[in-house]
Amino acid sequence: MKKSALFLLACCGFGAMPIAHSADQVELRFAWWGGKARNQATLKALDAFEAKYPNIKVKAEYTGWDGFYSRLTTQINSNTEADVIQTNWNWLTLLSKTGDGFYDLNKLRQPIGLDQYSPAALASTTVNGKINAIPISANVMLFYYNAATWQKAGVPLPKSWDDLLKAGPVFKEKLGDSYYPLILTEQDSLLLLNSWVYQGNQKPMVDEKTRKLGWNHDDLVQAFTFYRQLVTAHAVPDARTMASYGKGVAYEMKPWINGEWGGIYNWNVLYTAESQNLSHPDDLVMGDYPMREGAKDAGQFNKTALMLSISKNTRHPQEAALLINFLMSEKEGVVPVGLERGVPLSKAGAQILRDAGLLKEDDPVLTGLTQSASLPNHAKALPYLEDPQFTALFLAALQSIDYGKATVDQAATRFEEQANRILRRIMR
């Protein structure tokens, strides 16, 4: 399994052959979200693209994660979206249920370099036979820890769920109330509890056949009870504590930068951004993925990471395709960005980074994929678990418990009722 995963990422390949495009002056709009490092790297790559294609100018439209999706949906509804858009995998179920939400990339096979991607990778971004996006990289949820903080607490990195629970009181006693072994942001809480419950009952949280929750009331109670155990043990901050730091990206907040937050459960593609905000980036290391006793499956969320889509309304599909291929499979576009968007699924892109010494076997972004491939992972990644309404409802349930407005049982009942209404609406 490990060898096949590495082969998929490291296999040699070549970019698409140049293709004729308009000689007239063209302006493309490119919209994406990201942190400072990703933004600066992408801008450098865009400068190189404009140097190669002087008749194509790219207007960069970049923001942070918060608000990007709502802005995009507003633009799509008014037909004012950018030509090239960084998209998220689960958005296909929301914005392109029949495959017509974005430009069909089958029509741009040569200029966009479809031959650089495996059939399996392209299948993940295909709806009704229409390729809606180029898959940039693979993405898995992993545990990353600040080794310096754990060493300061005198606690070895956790190998099990019990180890994580037991570390909380030690952090509090030795380092203070503001120090935690792990933090969970909004979506991370849902995906961690989904993994923990799945390890115990092998039941998907959402049943695609019935279009309802696959978990029953007792399953939800188990999930919320385990969350409270983590909070009570001081293993993770509660919702009130996290809210006190305001909106924003957790790894850009002072407690993360200062090393007070000893770990994070998040996507492997974010390792670079998370580590660069520490005084010593090498302090951030990947931890073991904990398994419940007797678990037959990790229940780890594993999916296509970021994607690049072309607007169905673009007036310049050929030029948009050239831009995507440049960013994914040509040296001048690949090297500046490095691993800011994960390990490229483009065969040429992966080889370019290896040749440049930017992609090594021991790189944490790559070893995260290797670790995932070594685990028993058969659970299907469900896009509904990333739906904004669904995740907001789940967070509200946790907050109601943390703020003392509902018992675990009451929160489970309310979530069950409202979640099924949301699922009926988004899955129809």
Side-chain angles (χ1 to χ4, degrees):
M1 186 71 175
K2 176 180 176 181
K3 288 184 178 179
S4 61
L6 292 175
F7 179 79
L8 172 68
L9 295 166
C11 179
C12 297
F14 302 94
M17 295 295 291
I19 191 168
H21 57 91
S22 173
D24 297 330
Q25 194 67 36
V26 168
E27 181 180 85
L28 291 176
R29 292 166 55 208
F30 176 26
W32 76 89
W33 73 87
K36 182 178 180 181
R38 179 185 294 172
N39 296 339
Q40 290 180 338
T42 304
L43 291 172
K44 187 175 181 179
L46 294 182
D47 286 341
F49 176 79
E50 291 182 340
K52 181 174 182 177
Y53 300 101
N55 67 304
I56 306 176
K57 298 300 179 184
V58 182
K59 181 181 179 182
E61 300 178 4
Y62 54 95
T63 66
W65 165 254
D66 286 341
F68 185 92
Y69 176 74
S70 59
R71 178 187 179 191
L72 175 61
T73 54
T74 299
Q75 291 176 330
I76 287 177
N77 289 333
S78 60
N79 296 322
T80 59
E81 70 271 22
D83 298 277
V84 177
I85 312 161
Q86 181 177 289
T87 46
N88 213 18
W89 170 72
N90 70 298
W91 294 351
L92 295 181
T93 62
L94 303 169
L95 303 176
S96 190
K97 291 182 178 181
T98 62
D100 297 320
F102 298 99
Y103 200 96
D104 181 7
L105 303 185
N106 282 306
K107 301 176 181 178
L108 299 167
R109 180 168 293 275
Q110 183 180 351
I112 210 166
L114 286 187
D115 60 327
Q116 294 302 316
Y117 306 88
S118 71
L122 292 176
S124 70
T125 61
T126 299
V127 183
N128 286 343
K130 300 173 183 178
I131 300 177
N132 274 216
I134 288 296
I136 297 177
S137 56
N139 217 2
V140 293
M141 291 294 288
L142 296 165
F143 291 84
Y144 288 104
Y145 298 107
N146 186 331
T149 300
W150 281 75
Q151 185 175 15
K152 187 177 178 182
V155 183
L157 297 181
K159 295 182 178 296
S160 67
W161 296 108
D162 284 344
D163 288 345
L164 180 59
L165 286 166
K166 292 175 182 177
V170 180
F171 267 64
K172 183 176 182 179
E173 179 185 352
K174 292 192 174 181
L175 303 180
D177 289 345
S178 63
Y179 282 79
Y180 292 89
L182 187 75
I183 59 164
L184 296 173
T185 55
E186 299 176 6
Q187 187 188 52
D188 307 340
S189 300
L190 189 159
L191 296 183
L192 181 141
L193 295 176
N194 174 69
S195 176
W196 185 84
V197 172
Y198 195 88
Q199 289 181 12
N201 64 14
Q202 307 291 286
K203 291 164 61 177
M205 191 174 185
V206 174
D207 188 326
E208 292 187 291
K209 292 183 179 179
T210 63
R211 300 182 182 182
K212 297 171 61 177
L213 283 175
W215 290 359
N216 58 30
H217 183 79
D218 289 341
D219 296 322
L220 288 168
V221 168
Q222 285 185 41
F224 293 155
T225 298
F226 182 63
Y227 169 75
R228 281 305 303 171
Q229 288 178 323
L230 290 168
V231 169
T232 302
H234 200 78
V236 302
D238 64 8
R240 187 192 301 268
T241 302
M242 291 302 294
S244 69
Y245 294 102
K247 279 283 186 180
V249 180
Y251 54 80
E252 293 180 350
M253 295 180 177
K254 282 187 177 181
W256 176 261
I257 297 171
N258 295 339
E260 295 173 70
W261 291 343
I264 193 167
Y265 182 64
N266 215 321
W267 305 109
N268 70 302
V269 298
L270 292 178
Y271 172 84
T272 303
E274 292 163 353
S275 62
Q276 286 178 349
N277 282 335
L278 299 179
S279 300
H280 302 285
D282 289 343
D283 285 341
L284 192 65
V285 299
M286 183 178 66
D288 290 343
Y289 201 92
M291 298 284 286
R292 295 175 67 176
E293 186 175 353
K296 297 179 180 179
D297 196 295
Q300 184 185 35
F301 208 78
N302 190 329
K303 63 162 190 172
T304 293
L306 307 174
M307 311 185 303
L308 291 176
S309 298
I310 294 178
S311 165
K312 65 180 180 181
N313 298 308
T314 184
R315 294 184 296 168
H316 309 291
Q318 294 288 332
E319 288 81 1
L322 289 175
L323 174 59
I324 291 178
N325 185 65
F326 183 85
L327 294 174
M328 295 301 301
S329 299
E330 296 188 26
K331 183 177 180 179
E332 295 84 354
V334 172
V335 171
V337 178
L339 297 175
E340 280 297 325
R341 289 184 172 89
V343 180
L345 287 175
S346 161
K347 291 178 287 187
Q351 189 60 46
I352 287 167
L353 290 184
R354 286 186 181 280
D355 292 343
L358 298 176
L359 177 57
K360 301 177 181 179
E361 298 298 326
D362 60 350
D363 189 284
V365 178
L366 180 56
T367 56
L369 298 176
T370 306
Q371 184 197 72
S372 179
S374 71
L375 293 169
N377 264 316
H378 308 292
K380 179 182 179 181
L382 299 171
Y384 319 105
L385 272 59
E386 293 191 288
D387 180 85
Q389 298 176 70
F390 192 85
T391 55
L393 181 64
F394 193 85
L395 176 64
L398 299 183
Q399 289 175 334
S400 70
I401 297 170
D402 284 342
Y403 282 79
K405 295 182 179 179
T407 65
V408 164
D409 188 75
Q410 290 171 337
T413 298
R414 294 173 187 171
F415 178 80
E416 189 172 12
E417 294 172 350
Q418 297 176 51
N420 281 328
R421 285 200 291 268
I422 289 174
L423 290 172
R424 282 195 296 271
R425 185 164 60 249
I426 64 177
M427 296 176 75
R428 65 187 176 194

